[in-house]
């Protein structure tokens, strides 16, 4: 046998051994010989003969019920060279250094082949049951001997047609599938065993083999039971390849008969008898050298060899791929060669630095592991600033939580003991401050959200490498979390300051501020618009009514009566509307600025329908509105209910000291207003936003004096919550001013909070994270604890290392022969 051939087989067996023992699966798909054939064709017998030992359970029934992967390993014998022929030449020679091992009992060396047979039977039954069932899980057996060739052989259950015992109805199909799986691998050589005493055209083995190897390139035909053929017939035609073409040919063998087995006929004797048989048989005499087990073994070896030579480049390529994959996996666990104590510091430093870098890059959005499923890191922070915080600010309605009554109260309070010329300006200052406070909650929430996001980021900064050291990872996270928490306070209080600063000074000179005049004209034009619409509507209704009247429709009179009744009621219910009007005023500035447009509005309304104006009830909005600005006959006299009637036009009377009634009423506001209010109103007045108004909402004055006065003014009734025309006007004005100013502040907060958060929280943490980690964790005394290795990861890494070592060795082995 060529030395190269032996080398190749050794290589493959080494590889197989290496790969199989280390990985547990044949990931390299190494070449092997697979024995196929129908039940009782003699497959196990052929294998036994090749091994030269009696170790396989055999019989007439179904015996092989699990695949048996048999690895023959040639080991050197001290005295003599390992030699194929030795096994057969000296059958009775004591066979030292010959043993068998099962993969499922790795610790046990079998030296008695009878035990091997029994173990195969027991292991078969253990998995496949006792009653004829088959199982696809293989039994792995290695035979070490100086007398075997390095070969891997697979014995498979035979094909049967009729299910017996525990066999499922589809036993034939199952077996066929199992066999096909083994012989379909291009790395396997198919040993198609057919008995000579059955017509070859019925051979199941050849049928299966042809299916996976149609050109007959890797199929060896084995003809068993040549001794059992009918007298006068022979297998010469088949053996010479004339019946069925196979490139590797047919080899005839004579195995031990059942009788031989039962009689314990020694293997050596049987092999001798076989060779005698062919040498003396008249039909086979001339081809005797190409018949028999010995020749079969040689042929198999040669075939396997050339097959291996063919497959080796593929195997090498596959090996390289596996090596690359394993190397990559190993790299993900980090550099392993830090076992020495002197390296622990640099190891920790390195892991720390990577952690910090990963944190920073996640925050900056430059991380390589960017999720495509959800926003993360920097993008998420950007989203918090722009979408979450931005829309939270946008959604604040600066005046929706201010009821008309709140505003009226503020207006009244802000005037103090003296009437202000321009009440709304004072009230505006009073009211807008608490509104600015509305910006604080979303601003603080913004800080919190960014903080939470940073905490999340620091939890995702680990690597596979770091996961090896769970304690270090936990510590890193802890230190960064502490740092973040530390910064939460300053960021939060700075944001609080931002709001306080805004509240500290209401800059009505801000260029973008609407200003009283503009607000006034805004309100006026709004009102004007509403008035116009209302007039048009009224006119329409009037005409409609008139039309119906003319048509003589029923119920018209009733309609008119109702209208009159309603008007009367309105006058009764709203006596204070008139008195309140008298106690309110506008600053001269506003009068000057807004006068033109207001006058225009009023004149427009007046000229539209002067009669209607006069005939409107006292509570009518348009009417009072006009009275309020320009005075109107009778308007002042209506104040009489609250005190001395003022015959003067409003702008004259309002420039004077507060009237007696006004003083009284203010005092009364403080002392009796609240208890006198209906409970529903009171609740509103006592709600937090009202109390939020602060010191400005307190009444000024001598309470005892006012208390005395309050009895005199009991007829001045504050029960009525409805606003006077002037109050409504002022309320609207205030709302416009608050909105305008609030928008300025909102814009500024929307701009400043993200900047502050970035500076005080995000950027600060980014800047100091590395130093902080080092100062907290880079301590000799902590190294041991921090570098405690996770058991699971450790095992994985070790497995990976071993695997890589195996592949490297395998590559080296292949490198030697290629
Ligand atoms: P398997 O089911 O294909 O594994 O077949 P076995 O190897 O178990 O053999 C089945 C029966 O046929 C056994 O009793 C063997 O002794 C017998 N047998 C196998 N080969 C030969 C042979 O070449 N000559 C004779 N006379 N009997 C054989
Ligand atoms: Mg068998």
């Amino acid at each position: 046998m060529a030395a190269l051939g032996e080398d190749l087989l050794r290589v493959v067996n080494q590889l197989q051994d290496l790969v199989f023992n280390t990985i547990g699966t044949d990931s390299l798909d190494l070449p092997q010989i697979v024995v196929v054939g129908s039940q009782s064709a003699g497959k196990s017998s052929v294998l036994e003969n090749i091994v030269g030992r009696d170790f396989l359970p055999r019989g007439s029934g179904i015996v092989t019920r699990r695949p048996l992967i048999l690895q023959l390993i040639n080991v050197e014998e001290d005295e003599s060279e390992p030699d194929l022929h030795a096994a057969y030449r000296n059958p009775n020679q004591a066979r030292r250094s010959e043993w068998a091992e099962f993969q499922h009992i790795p610790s046990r060396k079998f030296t008695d082949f009878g035990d091997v047979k029994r173990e195969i039977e027991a292991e078969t039954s253990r998995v496949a049951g006792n009653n004829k069932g088959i199982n696809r899980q293989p039994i792995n057996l290695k035979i070490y001997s100086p007398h075997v060739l390095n070969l891997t052989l697979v014995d498979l259950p035979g094909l049967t047609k009729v299910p017996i015992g525990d066999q499922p109805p589809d036993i034939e199909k199952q077996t066929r599938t199992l066999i096909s799986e083994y012989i379909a691998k291009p790395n396997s050589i198919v040993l198609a065993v057919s008995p000579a005493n059955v017509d070859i055209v019925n051979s199941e083995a050849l049928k299966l083999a042809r299916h996976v190897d149609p050109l007959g390139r890797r199929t060896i035909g084995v003809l068993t039971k040549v001794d059992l053929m009918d007298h006068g017939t022979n297998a010469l035609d088949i053996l010479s390849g004339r019946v069925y073409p196979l490139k590797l040919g047919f080899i005839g063998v004579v195995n031990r008969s059942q009788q031989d087995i039962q009689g314990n006929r020694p293997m050596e004797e049987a092999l001798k008898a076989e060779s005698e048989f062919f040498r003396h048989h008249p039909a086979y005499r001339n081809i005797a050298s190409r018949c028999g087990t010995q020749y079969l073994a040689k042929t198999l070896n040669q075939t396997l060899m050339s097959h291996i030579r063919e497959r080796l480049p593929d195997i090498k390529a596959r090996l390289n791929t596996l090596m690359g994959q394993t190397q990559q996996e190993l790299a993900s666990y980090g550099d392993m060669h830090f076992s020495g104590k002197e390296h622990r510091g640099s190891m920790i430093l390195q892991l720390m630095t990577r952690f910090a870098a990963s944190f920073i890059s996640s925050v900056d959005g430059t991380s390589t592991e960017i999720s495509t499923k959800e926003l993360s890191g920097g993008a998420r922070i950007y989203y918090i600033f722009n979408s979450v915080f931005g829309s939270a600010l946008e959604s604040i309605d600066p005046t929706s939580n201010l009821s008309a009554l709140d505003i009226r109260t503020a207006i009244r309070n802000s005037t103090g003991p003296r009437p202000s010329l321009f009440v709304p300006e004072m009230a505006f200052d009073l009211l807008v401050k608490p509104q600015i406070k509305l910006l604080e909650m979303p601003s603080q929430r913004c800080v919190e959200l960014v903080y939470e996001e940073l905490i999340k980021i620091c939890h995702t900064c680990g690597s596979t490498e770091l996961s090896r050291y769970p304690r270090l990872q936990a510590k890193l996270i802890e230190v960064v979390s502490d740092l973040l928490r530390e910064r939460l306070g300053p960021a939060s209080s700075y944001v609080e300051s931002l709001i306080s600063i805004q509240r500290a000074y209401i800059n009505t000179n801000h260029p973008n501020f609407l200003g009283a005049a503009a607000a006034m004209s805004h309100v006026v034009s709004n009102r004007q618009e509403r008035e116009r619409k209302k007039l048009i509507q009224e006119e329409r209704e009037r005409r409609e009514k008139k039309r119906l009247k003319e048509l003589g429709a029923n119920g018209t009179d009733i309609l008119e009566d109702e209208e009159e009744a309603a008007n009367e009621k309105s006058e009764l219910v709203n006596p204070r509307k008139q008195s309140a009007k008298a106690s309110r005023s506008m600053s001269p500035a506003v009068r000057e600025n807004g006068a033109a447009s207001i006058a225009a509005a009023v004149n427009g309304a007046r000229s539209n329908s002067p009669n209607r104006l006069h005939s409107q009830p006292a509570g009518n909005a348009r009417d009072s509105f006009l009275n309020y600005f320009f005075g109107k006959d009778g308007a002042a006299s209506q104040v009489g209910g609250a005190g001395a009637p003022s015959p003067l036009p409003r702008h004259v009377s309002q420039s004077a000291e507060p009237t007696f009634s006004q003083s009284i009423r203010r005092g009364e506001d403080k002392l009796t207003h609240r208890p006198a209010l209906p409970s529903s109103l009171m609740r509103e007045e006592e709600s937090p936003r009202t109390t939020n108004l602060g010191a400005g909402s307190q009444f000024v004055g001598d309470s005892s004096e006012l208390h005395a006065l309050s009895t005199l003014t009991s007829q001045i009734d504050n029960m009525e919550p409805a606003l006077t025309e002037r109050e409504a006007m002022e309320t609207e004005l205030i709302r416009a001013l608050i909105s305008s100013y609030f928008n300025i502040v909102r814009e500024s907060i929307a701009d400043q909070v993200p900047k502050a958060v970035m500076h005080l929280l995000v950027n600060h943490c980014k800047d100091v994270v590395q130093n902080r980690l080092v100062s907290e964790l880079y301590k000799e005394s902590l190294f041991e604890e921090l570098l405690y290795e996770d058991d699971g990861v450790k095992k994985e890494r070790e497995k990976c290392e071993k695997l890589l070592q195996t592949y490297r060795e395998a590559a080296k082995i292949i490198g030697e022969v290629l």
Side-chain angles (χ1 to χ4, degrees), residues 43-44 57-58 63-64 155-156:
K43 301 180 294 297
S44 298
R58 271 165 321 124
V63 179
T64 312
D155 191 14
L156 291 171

Side-chain angles (χ1 to χ4, degrees), residues 84-125:
L84 169 73
H85 308 287
Y88 307 109
R89 213 188 293 127
N90 302 308
N92 299 317
Q93 189 184 329
R95 290 181 168 183
R96 281 170 296 169
S97 49
E98 193 177 58
W99 73 96
E101 272 175 28
F102 286 96
Q103 202 192 27
H104 64 273
I105 350 176
S107 54
R108 189 168 158 199
K109 269 190 181 181
F110 286 77
T111 46
D112 181 343
F113 281 86
D115 287 343
V116 174
K117 188 187 279 189
R118 281 183 284 279
E119 181 55 36
I120 294 173
E121 280 166 350
E123 178 60 18
T124 300
S125 301

Side-chain angles (χ1 to χ4, degrees), residues 100-239:
E101 272 175 28
F102 286 96
Q103 202 192 27
H104 64 273
I105 350 176
S107 54
R108 189 168 158 199
K109 269 190 181 181
F110 286 77
T111 46
D112 181 343
F113 281 86
D115 287 343
V116 174
K117 188 187 279 189
R118 281 183 284 279
E119 181 55 36
I120 294 173
E121 280 166 350
E123 178 60 18
T124 300
S125 301
R126 193 178 68 79
V127 176
N130 286 316
N131 198 4
K132 320 286 184 208
I134 67 160
N135 190 288
R136 58 185 305 110
Q137 191 186 324
I139 297 173
N140 288 287
L141 174 64
K142 278 184 196 169
I143 294 178
Y144 297 85
S145 169
H147 312 291
V148 293
L149 288 172
N150 289 317
L151 285 176
T152 299
L153 301 153
V154 184
D155 191 14
L156 291 171
L159 275 171
T160 54
K161 298 281 178 194
V162 183
I164 53 163
D166 283 343
Q167 292 177 346
D170 63 340
I171 180 72
E172 191 192 344
K173 198 176 157 220
Q174 275 192 24
T175 320
R176 211 175 273 280
T177 313
L178 181 64
I179 295 170
S180 297
E181 273 173 30
Y182 278 87
I183 61 176
K185 291 178 185 171
N187 280 5
S188 61
I189 292 166
V190 185
L191 208 58
V193 178
S194 319
N197 58 350
V198 174
D199 198 331
I200 195 95
V201 298
N202 288 327
S203 169
E204 287 292 340
L206 290 173
K207 208 169 135 189
L208 275 165
R210 185 154 58 181
H211 198 65
V212 294
D213 178 30
L215 299 174
R217 276 186 182 149
R218 53 183 178 95
T219 305
I220 296 176
V222 177
L223 212 55
T224 57
K225 305 189 185 180
V226 178
D227 61 316
L228 293 183
M229 290 182 81
D230 276 354
H231 286 293
T233 61
N234 62 58
L236 214 54
D237 276 359
I238 298 166
L239 294 177

Side-chain angles (χ1 to χ4, degrees), residues 38-45 58-59 64 224-225 227-228 253-258 261:
S38 46
Q39 176 60 41
S40 289
K43 301 180 294 297
S44 298
S45 299
R58 271 165 321 124
T64 312
T224 57
K225 305 189 185 180
D227 61 316
L228 293 183
V253 295
V254 174
N255 299 314
R256 290 183 302 166
S257 67
Q258 190 61 28
I261 293 163

Side-chain angles (χ1 to χ4, degrees), residues 415 418-424 585-588 590-591 654-656 726:
T415 50
R418 300 184 306 126
S420 166
L421 290 179
F422 180 38
V423 179
S585 179
M586 263 179 100
S587 77
V590 168
R591 264 207 320 276
Q654 293 309 315
S655 63
R726 174 178 172 154

